[in-house]
Amino acid sequence: MGCNPAQLAEVTALLGGDATTAATICAGSDVAQLGPNGAVTKWTVAELRGAQSALDQVEYGLNVSFVLSSAYQVFVMQLGFALFAAGVVRPKNTVAIFIKNFFDTCIAGIAFYLVGYAFAFGAKDGYSNGFIGNWDFALSQTDASQPPNPWHLFIWNWSFCSASTTILSGSIAERATFSSYTIYAAFMPAWVYPVVAHWLWAPDGWLSARNANDRILGIGAIDYAGSGVVHLVGGMAALIGSIAVGPRVGRFDTSGATGEVSAQLYRATAAPQLYLMGTLLLWFGWYGFNPGSKLGISDYVQATIVSRTAVTTTLAACSGALSNMLLNYGRHRVWDLLSTCIGALSGLVAVTSGCSVIEPWAAIICGAISALFYEAGEQLLEKLKIDDPVSAFPLHAMCGIWGLIFTGLLGNEGYITQVYNVPPGGHRMGLFYGGHAQLLLCQVIAIAVIASWSALNMCVLFFGMKFAGLLRVGADKEATGMDMAACGQYNAAGAVNVHSSKVRQ
């Protein structure tokens, strides 16, 4: 054991004069067995392995922190949804909107924990199937030290599931029962949303561009952050819910043929301070929604994708807001704040599909045209006399459809190969870049199956509740307002809950 003076000197020289480390090495048997060069080499390799392990842990911690902070940011969108809807519905229903947006988040958390997360991403022995996940119910198999099922991904995916669930709340506002909304708020995160999330985001989902073994048409559908998975699912739920529950009393009872006067009257009490704050909070949350979908930021490529996605998200929101503002001014000769806010949200919904794979100039086009899709949806609802107080179907479903189509038109091949880690070629590009329409066809297939799945399930749910007499409140409660009829609370300055201890019974 140990070194002789000559070996100690040689080891010290090999270490650049580090006598302390040389003494440590010489205290063992490595020098005698391996010689000075071999002993120093063995020590160096061990140190490098230790350093690599430490770097891996730092990288993992950085990525987890990024995902969790993005998830917290997406969660703030719940406040944005609540404020926007409360700003658009009539004041006598404001508290009802707030409580629905609050408790659907809580219900979604429990339902997604019990079964939804497993249906979306559960994979026993690393394999499920293309349609649905089959493992990790109630996070029974999740272990923070065993990726790919770390704890933070549940929080991340729950925040998205909760956002999709909340989209419908304003569509059936002012006339749906709380019991019917409670049933919906459990059904959506437990079954409807998770299946679609599996199709497009799970590694073996049949539509997923992440499916390395069996991508549909060799490419897979690209829905990077959820124009389809989140917004089209929620928007179709809003459409079916609005049809099933029926319009608010008097909503289409006008002497005009178009119903435009009725629409204006029913939004005459809109609170601009609420829907403006809601819009800006949603926009802020979208910076977690879209850039955060990379699920990592610890290297050059990831940081580049995250940064580029933030840029395209911003530009689409800006162009959508300006486009809808100008469109409304051209029609009515007024500078309408609500139209401007909705335009920004339209651009955000639309760019969510391709935000990581389109160029900045394309994001401007995407956002600008999204206003037209929103307006088309609004006109369709008016023509069919479907009452959607917060315009959830035009905003989320129509603009979600446009976002998926746009990715098939202007998805950049270089960005697609970078984001999805696939080799170039195979026509992985938008049609306008010279693709052979495979990507566009994948996007159209995604639209068709997502819309059909959501609509079918929601028809069963909402028309089933309607048949059972659970869906709609009576005309007297609707006239009173849900704040008083269901929440026991006047919506007025200084008001308190009439069932609270502050009120003499």
Side-chain angles (χ1 to χ4, degrees):
M1 300 282 292
C3 304
N4 57 44
Q7 289 173 328
L8 178 60
E10 186 174 351
V11 171
T12 303
L14 289 170
L15 293 171
D18 187 348
T20 302
T21 303
T24 301
I25 294 174
C26 280
S29 61
D30 289 339
V31 175
Q33 295 174 354
L34 304 173
N37 284 294
V40 171
T41 299
K42 181 180 178 181
W43 175 85
T44 302
V45 169
E47 288 294 304
L48 288 174
R49 286 175 177 169
Q52 183 61 55
S53 176
L55 286 173
D56 289 344
Q57 293 184 49
V58 171
E59 180 181 0
Y60 183 78
L62 177 61
N63 288 334
V64 169
S65 298
F66 173 68
V67 172
L68 285 176
S69 61
S70 296
Y72 305 152
Q73 198 169 349
V74 173
F75 179 69
V76 172
M77 295 175 75
Q78 293 297 327
L79 178 56
F81 279 120
L83 288 172
F84 182 86
V88 174
V89 300
R90 288 175 291 183
K92 61 184 178 180
N93 298 286
T94 302
V95 176
I97 280 290
F98 283 151
I99 193 170
K100 283 182 178 180
N101 278 266
F102 195 112
F103 79 68
D104 71 17
T105 299
C106 302
I107 295 172
I110 302 299
F112 197 63
Y113 161 74
L114 291 174
V115 295
Y117 185 63
F119 285 152
F121 301 105
K124 185 176 182 180
D125 299 324
Y127 175 78
S128 57
N129 59 71
F131 178 76
I132 194 170
N134 60 2
W135 193 243
D136 202 22
F137 293 95
L139 299 181
S140 57
Q141 305 301 316
T142 293
D143 187 337
S145 65
Q146 296 293 326
N149 290 317
W151 299 102
H152 66 284
L153 290 184
F154 170 79
I155 296 298
W156 168 255
N157 286 289
W158 160 74
S159 69
F160 274 63
C161 177
S162 181
S164 184
T165 301
T166 300
I167 287 171
L168 171 128
S169 64
S171 298
I172 60 174
E174 305 193 26
R175 72 269 199 214
T177 65
F178 271 74
S179 59
S180 65
Y181 190 74
T182 301
I183 295 171
Y184 157 80
F187 184 61
M188 171 70 100
W191 173 247
V192 182
Y193 171 88
V195 172
V196 178
H198 185 83
W199 291 352
L200 282 109
W201 288 345
D204 52 4
W206 73 275
L207 273 172
S208 178
R210 297 179 172 92
N211 189 338
N213 299 319
D214 190 23
R215 294 184 178 94
I216 184 173
L217 299 182
I219 298 176
I222 294 176
D223 188 17
Y224 185 73
S227 287
V229 175
V230 175
H231 298 285
L232 182 52
V233 169
M236 289 304 299
L239 175 64
I240 301 303
S242 298
I243 293 173
V245 75
R248 290 166 288 180
V249 174
R251 170 64 176 82
F252 294 105
D253 295 341
T254 64
S255 58
T258 64
E260 289 185 5
V261 173
S262 176
Q264 292 171 4
L265 288 175
Y266 269 69
R267 283 184 173 171
T269 55
Q273 70 275 22
L274 293 181
Y275 64 70
L276 175 61
M277 286 190 293
T279 299
L280 292 174
L281 281 171
L282 286 168
W283 188 338
F284 171 75
W286 239 285
Y287 288 123
F289 210 88
N290 287 2
S293 290
K294 186 66 190 80
L295 301 182
I297 198 172
S298 60
D299 59 38
Y300 175 82
V301 173
Q302 290 177 332
T304 299
I305 293 170
V306 168
S307 302
R308 182 175 66 240
T309 301
V311 170
T312 56
T313 299
T314 301
L315 294 177
C318 294
S319 63
L322 295 174
S323 177
N324 211 36
M325 180 180 68
L326 293 174
L327 179 63
N328 185 79
Y329 183 81
R331 295 180 61 200
H332 304 295
R333 287 295 184 269
V334 294
W335 301 105
D336 185 59
L337 176 61
L338 182 57
S339 295
T340 307
C341 290
I342 289 176
L345 297 177
S346 299
L348 289 166
V349 170
V351 81
T352 295
S353 168
C355 51
S356 66
V357 298
I358 62 173
E359 298 186 61
W361 59 264
I364 295 175
I365 297 173
C366 179
I369 297 179
S370 69
L372 301 179
F373 275 77
Y374 164 77
E375 184 60 30
E378 279 283 271
Q379 294 302 317
L380 179 63
L381 292 182
E382 287 291 324
K383 183 175 182 180
L384 298 178
K385 298 189 183 302
I386 299 171
D387 187 14
D388 182 351
V390 298
S391 301
F393 169 73
L395 177 57
H396 295 278
M398 293 296 291
C399 294
I401 288 171
W402 166 237
L404 287 165
I405 292 173
F406 188 81
T407 304
L409 297 175
L410 281 171
N412 181 287
E413 182 182 18
Y415 293 165
I416 292 173
T417 58
Q418 182 188 60
V419 171
Y420 291 96
N421 194 27
V422 293
H427 305 294
R428 293 185 177 92
M429 64 188 77
L431 180 65
F432 293 162
Y433 279 103
H436 288 188
Q438 288 99 322
L439 177 57
L440 180 59
L441 180 57
C442 287
Q443 303 299 101
V444 172
I445 292 172
I447 292 168
V449 297
I450 292 172
S452 299
W453 171 260
S454 183
L456 175 63
N457 279 278
M458 291 303 154
C459 280
V460 173
L461 177 67
F462 280 106
F463 285 100
M465 290 192 292
K466 183 176 183 179
F467 178 78
L470 298 173
L471 186 56
R472 183 158 181 159
V473 301
D476 56 337
K477 291 185 177 181
E478 183 178 345
T480 302
M482 295 298 288
D483 286 2
M484 186 63 197
C487 303
Q489 186 162 338
Y490 293 105
N491 182 26
V496 295
N497 189 307
V498 298
H499 301 297
S500 75
S501 59
K502 298 179 183 179
V503 178
R504 187 183 301 277
Q505 300 295 322

